[in-house]
Amino acid sequence: MTKDYIESVRKQFEYYKLLGEKTLEQIPDEALFWQYNETSNSIATIVKHITGNMLSRWTDFLTSDGEKEWRNRDGEFENDINTGEALMQKWNEGWKCFLDALNSLIDEDLGKTIYIRNQGHTVCEAINRQLAHYPYHVGQIVFIGKMVCDEKWKSLSIPKGASTSYNAEKFAQPKTKAHFTDELFKNAGKK
């Protein structure tokens, strides 16, 4: 069961990473810094925050508190990313740290206690915490992407009006046991 859990959450995280990347591919560089208003975050700021969180939480996560002394969380909301290339470097840096840590886990690690701001979590609970946090922010990125791309937006899921044909195609296939992301990554040429 635990090996299945680790594999399943890895695929879930990779799915949200892919959604973020497919959004970022559609957005012109200047729109990465657009804010709805002064109190909202740009895509660049959200990426900076996710990266800061990933680096803090997952660097030496089995042996040190997930809120590192070197982390400047407030600074994550002061955007200093200037280009799409710099944004993607940040994005990749955070995801690499996180996925490397996740991929290093063995079954026995899931019940271990780790700390985030001195609050104990099992490794499983810490993973679940981030499984809510990262998709929350990726959803924000996608929403902003849809707004700035407007009619040029390319759907990341079943396009509007295509549910009936999509379902017909799926139900025409024999029943199988697979993770819903397997087909996505196969079609994207990954994994």
Side-chain angles (χ1 to χ4, degrees):
M1 172 62 189
T2 53
K3 183 174 173 43
D4 290 341
Y5 171 76
I6 293 170
E7 180 68 9
S8 179
V9 296
R10 182 186 57 75
K11 287 180 177 184
Q12 287 290 147
F13 281 113
E14 288 176 343
Y15 169 69
Y16 284 101
K17 179 179 183 281
L18 180 67
L19 289 181
E21 289 169 354
K22 286 188 169 289
T23 299
L24 296 172
E25 288 170 5
Q26 295 186 53
I27 299 172
D29 271 12
E30 62 276 3
L32 297 170
F33 312 101
W34 175 82
Q35 292 174 251
Y36 174 72
N37 61 29
E38 230 177 86
T39 61
S40 63
N41 294 317
S42 68
I43 289 174
T45 300
I46 295 167
V47 168
K48 188 176 176 188
H49 168 61
I50 292 173
T51 299
N53 182 279
M54 288 176 170
L55 295 175
S56 183
R57 295 289 184 266
W58 299 98
T59 300
D60 303 323
F61 79 104
L62 291 175
T63 57
S64 66
D65 194 281
E67 188 66 17
K68 304 294 187 282
E69 289 182 21
W70 44 259
R71 182 181 185 197
N72 178 7
R73 185 181 180 282
D74 290 335
E76 293 166 14
F77 296 94
E78 298 168 8
N79 185 48
D80 59 358
I81 299 173
N82 298 315
T83 66
E85 183 180 336
L87 178 129
M88 288 310 298
Q89 287 174 348
K90 277 275 187 216
W91 175 266
N92 289 326
E93 177 187 17
W95 280 102
K96 180 177 180 354
C97 176
F98 168 62
L99 291 172
D100 284 353
L102 189 64
N103 289 330
S104 75
L105 292 175
I106 57 173
D107 291 349
E108 293 76 29
D109 291 331
L110 292 178
K112 290 180 181 176
T113 300
I114 59 113
Y115 292 88
I116 300 171
R117 298 183 184 106
N118 278 342
Q119 183 180 26
H121 297 64
T122 64
V123 169
C124 188
E125 289 170 331
I127 291 168
N128 289 341
R129 178 176 173 161
Q130 299 316 100
L131 191 54
H133 186 207
Y134 302 151
Y136 167 79
H137 288 304
V138 170
Q140 292 173 326
I141 291 169
V142 172
F143 183 72
I144 294 168
K146 286 178 79 170
M147 285 192 304
V148 299
C149 289
D150 200 18
E151 71 279 347
K152 293 179 183 173
W153 176 254
K154 293 179 197 115
S155 178
L156 303 180
S157 63
I158 303 167
K160 192 174 186 177
S163 295
T164 301
S165 61
Y166 181 84
N167 286 341
E169 181 183 323
K170 291 296 179 190
F171 284 114
Q173 303 297 317
K175 289 185 178 184
T176 61
K177 168 91 171 78
H179 196 275
F180 80 97
T181 62
D182 291 345
E183 184 179 305
L184 296 169
F185 288 113
K186 181 181 170 189
N187 293 339
K190 296 182 180 184
K191 305 271 182 263

